Amino acid sequence: MVYWQVVMSLDGFIAGAGDDMSWIFDIVDAEAAVGDDHVAATGAIVMGRRTWEVEDRDRPGIYGGRFQGPLFVVTRHPPEPAPAWMREGGMQGRFVREGVATAIAHAKEAAGGRNVGLLGAGVARQAIELALLDEILVGVSPVLLGDGVRLFDRHGAAPVRLEAGRVAQQGALTNLSFRVL
Amino acid sequence: MVYWQVVMSLDGFIAGAGDDMSWIFDIVDAEAAVGDDHVAATGAIVMGRRTWEVEDRDRPGIYGGRFQGPLFVVTRHPPEPAPAWMREGGMQGRFVREGVATAIAHAKEAAGGRNVGLLGAGVARQAIELALLDEILVGVSPVLLGDGVRLFDRHGAAPVRLEAGRVAQQGALTNLSFRVL
């Protein structure tokens, strides 16, 4: 199963203007939005270059460092050298130049039957367009931002239908799950 | 209590491009998102001109015609003559030229102790800025639109903090309530 876990403001932003994430850390522990059981069920991660840059800048380590395993970063321009945190503690970080579909294929193989997690709106949008995303797990943060990086930014295409699943409140977050139809 | 009830896509749009609402009616009965008890507790409605135009064009009648009572439409350019449905069955429709604060003041007086409901993102945004909105009731529709009219469109201002309240699933909708702090 390929899933996308993301925290957003009520008005649909996953980051403020300029990729600012401070609003989120002020209000909720975004890492805590992903439970330990969820981390344990994740066999590999695919993330985009932009998300990776924010991660690399702000707080290296996936899910607060709890995820250790194969990590695939989609980018046409891999940084040289790869940062140390991508190699430490079994991270097995790797850059993929061939795009999202290839990265997800690698990740599925590496996950050994466990789930593949996506990080980053761009990667998730492409996965949806390629019909490779199964579930969206959204933690709704109790805030209105008004501006920033949108959950799903796409023009002129048909709506993507979902099916609502579980709902749970966890601290300040309201966690919603949706199956992509 | 002043509340804003609204149905949005998971990615934070309350209408598609060009104010298209067909996606919403295809998926959920948006009128049914507002329960009869909720309608009964509403003493007056304030809406913006743009929302009023969509209402007037697509499906005259507030909450599917279940609301009968004082209706205040904020606009600097009232249409002449006012359409018939605003006068029928006790609708008491009225246009307000003096802005959102005045319209809400009129509505509170007219509501006789019951709640005041807002319709329209522009009116709601102004009410939030004026610290006149108490609650946001959001029905999350299981769809990603990618483009359209945003729930809360504002640039360069501080985040608006909320407090999460009740969560309920009603048909395809996931209803969330938030108190404005």
Side-chain angles (χ1 to χ4, degrees):
Chain A
M1 191 266 283
V2 179
Y3 73 93
W4 176 31
Q5 194 279 331
V6 61
V7 173
M8 74 171 192
S9 66
L10 176 61
D11 54 338
F13 294 102
I14 59 169
D19 285 327
D20 177 36
M21 296 299 281
S22 60
W23 60 276
I24 231 175
F25 301 125
D26 283 353
I27 296 173
V28 298
D29 183 352
E31 306 297 355
V34 184
D36 285 335
D37 53 340
H38 202 79
V39 175
T42 299
I45 293 283
V46 173
M47 72 199 300
R49 172 64 185 262
R50 187 169 172 186
T51 306
W52 178 85
E53 280 171 1
V54 173
E55 190 78 21
D56 191 51
R57 182 189 71 196
D58 286 356
R59 39 195 313 157
I62 306 301
Y63 299 150
R66 288 176 295 156
F67 176 80
Q68 301 291 327
L71 167 69
F72 299 88
V73 181
V74 182
T75 177
R76 265 172 286 186
H77 306 287
E80 292 287 347
W85 68 269
M86 281 182 62
R87 296 278 162 196
E88 284 164 0
M91 276 298 289
Q92 306 166 45
R94 186 177 146 191
F95 293 97
V96 178
R97 292 172 188 266
E98 296 82 5
V100 170
T102 300
I104 289 177
H106 285 329
K108 278 184 171 173
E109 207 180 309
R114 286 189 293 167
N115 295 331
V116 172
L118 307 187
L119 291 173
V123 160
R125 192 191 65 244
Q126 290 175 71
I128 289 168
E129 284 164 357
L130 294 161
L132 293 173
L133 185 66
D134 300 303
E135 278 197 22
I136 304 177
L137 311 174
V138 178
V140 179
S141 181
V143 65
L144 297 170
L145 287 187
D147 195 11
V149 180
R150 295 223 311 264
L151 181 77
F152 188 67
D153 199 343
R154 195 170 67 146
H155 301 279
V160 177
R161 294 291 184 94
L162 311 170
E163 185 180 273
R166 302 174 308 282
V167 177
Q169 287 180 302
Q170 182 187 43
L173 282 180
T174 304
N175 292 327
L176 310 178
S177 89
F178 291 88
R179 200 163 64 84
V180 182
L181 300 182
Chain B
M1 190 266 283
V2 179
Y3 73 92
W4 176 31
Q5 193 278 331
V6 60
V7 173
M8 74 172 192
S9 66
L10 176 61
D11 54 338
F13 294 101
I14 60 168
D19 286 327
D20 177 35
M21 296 299 282
S22 59
W23 60 276
I24 232 174
F25 299 126
D26 283 354
I27 295 174
V28 298
D29 183 353
E31 306 297 355
V34 183
D36 285 335
D37 53 342
H38 203 78
V39 174
T42 301
I45 294 282
V46 174
M47 71 198 300
R49 172 65 186 261
R50 188 170 172 186
T51 307
W52 178 85
E53 279 171 0
V54 173
E55 191 77 22
D56 191 50
R57 183 188 71 199
D58 286 356
R59 38 195 313 158
I62 308 300
Y63 299 150
R66 287 175 297 156
F67 175 79
Q68 301 291 326
L71 166 69
F72 298 88
V73 181
V74 182
T75 176
R76 266 174 285 185
H77 305 288
E80 292 288 350
W85 68 268
M86 282 181 63
R87 297 277 161 196
E88 285 165 359
M91 276 297 288
Q92 306 165 48
R94 186 177 146 190
F95 292 96
V96 178
R97 291 172 188 266
E98 296 82 5
V100 170
T102 300
I104 290 176
H106 286 328
K108 277 183 171 173
E109 208 180 307
R114 286 188 292 166
N115 297 329
V116 171
L118 307 186
L119 292 174
V123 161
R125 191 191 65 244
Q126 290 175 70
I128 289 168
E129 284 163 359
L130 294 161
L132 293 174
L133 186 65
D134 300 303
E135 278 198 22
I136 305 177
L137 311 174
V138 178
V140 179
S141 181
V143 64
L144 297 170
L145 287 187
D147 195 11
V149 180
R150 296 221 311 262
L151 180 77
F152 188 67
D153 199 344
R154 194 170 69 147
H155 301 278
V160 177
R161 294 293 184 93
L162 311 171
E163 184 179 273
R166 300 174 309 282
V167 176
Q169 288 180 303
Q170 183 187 42
L173 282 180
T174 304
N175 292 327
L176 310 178
S177 90
F178 292 89
R179 200 163 65 82
V180 181
L181 299 182

